Amino acid sequence: MTYDDLLYKIGDFGKYQKRIYFFLCLPAISCALHKLSGVFILAKTNHRCQLPGEPDNSSYDLPPNIMNMSYPFDYKLDHFSSCKMYDTNFTEAYYSSNITANQSINCHRWIYDRRDFQNTAVIEFNLVCDRAWYKGTADSMLMVGVMLGSIIFGYLSDRIGRKNIFVISVLLQGITGCGMAFTQEYWSFTFLRVLVGASTSGLYLAAYVIGLEFVSPKYRMVVGVIIQMFFSVGFLLTSGFAYVLHNNWRSFQLAITIPTLFYTTYYWFVPESVRWLLANGKQERAVKILQKVCRVNGVEISEKDIVDILECNIEKKPTIQADALPKASFFDLFKHPVILKRSIIIMLLWFVNSTAYYGLSWSTSNLGGNQYFVFNLAGMVEFPAYIFLLMTLNKWGRKINISGFLILAGLALLATLAVPKTNTWMVIFFAMMAKLAITASYGAVYVYTAEQFPTVVRNMGLGVGSFFARIGGIVAPYINNTSEIWINMPLVVYGGLALLVGVWSLVLPETLNRKLPDTIEDLIAMSEKKYKLVLKNEPATNGDANKDKDKH
């Protein structure tokens, strides 16, 4: 009997696991709050150049004739320039002449429209015009932190335990998140966002793994998707906090950070992963936790029986089987054409899903309409996406979900090009359809990636895919900045990438209910066997060909 068999006996998703799992899902809300807070902390507001002699507290609105005489018209963006003003003396005689100056100059002081947001980091640090890319950098550096956190905390999680990493991440997020609220200049603010991003990785990773390692394989997919739904709850709460605290971004930052400190209480009631304890020779602690699981789940099994099962499991652990598998390296992902093709497409799948997901989530203010309402819509569409995924992933298969949803997202985003500029809600409709599709595709890509690679390089394949997802998150803010050049540019870029990679990923094999290869040689042999089978049955009908394919 293995540990998984023991889980079936004591309750593979019993009362104890459900209770612990609920508490482990709550940190996903905090991770969402910090990852998406930039939409409001770094909210882009309308601005205009501050005219000579104009007080800092001046109203953003000016009469049309004053606007026309003060600022050149930007025909690309279809409004008066936000970054240039005429090079002239703005006297009463100049305004009464109705003849605009010939030259314009860049300005370095601005008046902001504070109707929606009284104060944001963009307003405070003047991240507009020539400094507009600083806004994208702040979001990108958050994702750099997420990438570094996944690497560092992922490694330490295996060395010092999931629970210890959870507590360290909670403290890091609490300290750096509160520190952000008191920064007085841009670079300190951005550096702390790197650390906050790293903390979200450690927090989410530890909670996800502990929850996953306490249930049997039967429930892993459900458990993996449900925790993502809690991330979506955090998505909705982000706009709620922002709506209540829109007058000051510092208060907003404190409000989303302070509740994180509640998770320090987990140290006393959330257990360490039993799998990690067993793998690191801490059987006595593992047995105590399993006894508590039995007690809460109402299962009677003696300590001796638990110890016997675990020791039997350790004795039967296949050292021969592990030695039989050849040592593989990172470069094995690219050596043979069969695995090279898979590696490239998988990397692109992670990159595109992450880029489009975060890009669309962070750019809701560019779509028009009420910012809070549109942002909430972007969060709400995630729930039907995950529910649909739970219903279809084990019925329709992985490929049709991932490729189909990417293609749908691409078509929806490119369809915005045909929508008139005045029809804001049609643009929002297509963008939300794309957000739903991207969410579903992103939710399935983890499972699909694990099933595409042989056992010897499976973790490496997942690691490389996750790395490219982080690259996508780093790039997304800069793609969103292209809206300064053309308002539809980000949607076109995301749509084109999703459509291209969605179609290309159709060449990958379906993995639902298929035997997974252990070695790269197994993968090559299975691929060649399938190729020969297709050649052999080429004249056959589609039905016969499908029957033959199902046998393998």
Side-chain angles (χ1 to χ4, degrees), residues 57-90:
N57 61 351
S58 297
S59 170
Y60 168 78
D61 295 311
L62 290 175
N65 64 311
I66 300 295
M67 291 290 291
N68 185 55
M69 294 295 292
S70 303
Y71 308 108
F73 195 82
D74 189 331
Y75 289 95
K76 284 185 179 179
L77 298 176
D78 198 29
H79 59 65
F80 286 103
S81 176
S82 302
C83 303
K84 291 179 181 291
M85 62 182 179
Y86 285 122
D87 185 12
T88 185
N89 293 320
F90 293 96

Side-chain angles (χ1 to χ4, degrees), residues 149-430:
S150 64
I151 295 169
I152 296 168
F153 288 126
Y155 170 75
L156 291 177
S157 178
D158 289 333
R159 295 298 298 269
I160 66 174
R162 286 74 161 106
K163 186 174 175 179
N164 288 331
I165 289 301
F166 182 89
V167 174
I168 291 169
S169 299
V170 167
L171 294 174
L172 179 64
Q173 188 167 111
I175 294 168
T176 57
C178 290
M180 268 182 61
F182 297 98
T183 53
Q184 298 302 313
E185 48 84 31
Y186 171 79
W187 291 111
S188 299
F189 169 83
T190 303
F191 173 71
L192 288 175
R193 270 177 75 79
V194 174
L195 298 181
V196 167
S199 74
T200 63
S201 277
L203 198 60
Y204 190 88
L205 177 74
Y208 183 91
V209 173
I210 292 173
L212 205 66
E213 293 183 339
F214 258 104
V215 300
S216 68
K218 176 182 175 183
Y219 287 99
R220 280 180 197 159
M221 187 189 77
V222 175
V223 163
V225 173
I226 288 176
I227 195 171
Q228 294 181 66
M229 289 185 173
F230 275 79
F231 188 92
S232 301
V233 171
F235 203 121
L236 299 178
L237 286 176
T238 303
S239 63
F241 277 108
Y243 183 76
V244 174
L245 301 166
H246 66 280
N247 286 336
N248 193 320
W249 71 269
R250 297 177 186 278
S251 300
F252 170 72
Q253 178 62 33
L254 284 173
I256 65 173
T257 302
I258 290 173
T260 303
L261 299 175
F262 160 75
Y263 303 132
T264 55
T265 61
Y266 282 26
Y267 182 80
W268 288 277
F269 70 90
V270 170
E272 179 58 90
S273 163
V274 172
R275 288 184 186 274
W276 183 84
L277 291 172
L278 293 174
N280 288 272
K282 303 177 187 295
Q283 184 172 307
E284 189 176 334
R285 284 178 60 191
V287 170
K288 286 183 179 178
I289 292 170
L290 289 171
Q291 283 183 293
K292 188 173 182 179
V293 175
C294 292
R295 188 167 60 251
V296 175
N297 288 351
V299 177
E300 291 186 9
I301 182 170
S302 68
E303 180 180 347
K304 182 180 181 302
D305 288 340
I306 292 175
V307 172
D308 288 343
I309 290 168
L310 294 179
E311 287 181 348
C312 179
N313 185 34
I314 292 169
E315 287 172 10
K316 288 186 176 180
K317 274 206 168 173
T319 54
I320 298 176
Q321 197 179 50
D323 292 338
L325 292 176
K327 299 293 181 184
S329 71
F330 166 79
F331 299 102
D332 287 318
L333 290 171
F334 311 98
K335 278 186 178 177
H336 192 279
V338 173
I339 197 168
L340 173 64
K341 178 181 73 176
R342 294 191 183 198
S343 298
I344 291 173
I345 298 175
I346 289 296
M347 288 187 294
L348 289 172
L349 279 173
W350 282 86
F351 175 81
V352 170
N353 274 289
S354 178
T355 305
Y357 177 85
Y358 285 108
L360 290 173
S361 299
W362 289 332
S363 65
T364 50
S365 60
N366 292 336
L367 299 176
N370 183 281
Q371 288 191 48
Y372 299 102
F373 180 71
V374 176
F375 185 84
N376 274 333
L377 273 181
M380 289 170 64
V381 298
E382 294 193 1
F383 293 98
Y386 289 131
I387 292 169
F388 188 83
L389 200 60
L390 283 171
M391 294 170 59
T392 62
L393 199 57
N394 284 338
K395 281 188 178 181
W396 295 359
R398 285 67 159 121
K399 182 164 77 170
I400 192 170
N401 272 292
I402 292 177
S403 300
F405 276 121
L406 272 179
I407 292 169
L408 174 61
L411 293 174
L413 290 172
L414 293 176
T416 58
L417 290 174
V419 179
K421 289 182 181 180
T422 53
N423 199 338
T424 301
W425 287 106
M426 187 58 71
V427 173
I428 292 172
F429 170 77
F430 282 122

Side-chain angles (χ1 to χ4, degrees), residues 436-458:
L436 185 152
I438 284 293
T439 300
S441 174
Y442 205 0
V445 76
Y446 191 98
V447 175
Y448 195 43
T449 299
E451 295 174 345
Q452 285 293 332
F453 291 106
T455 304
V456 292
V457 290
R458 187 162 293 134

Side-chain angles (χ1 to χ4, degrees), residues 21 39 41-42 125 185 206 253 382 433 551:
Y21 181 64
V39 173
I41 287 177
L42 292 160
F125 302 139
E185 48 84 31
Q253 178 62 33
E382 294 193 1
M433 183 187 293
K551 291 177 185 175

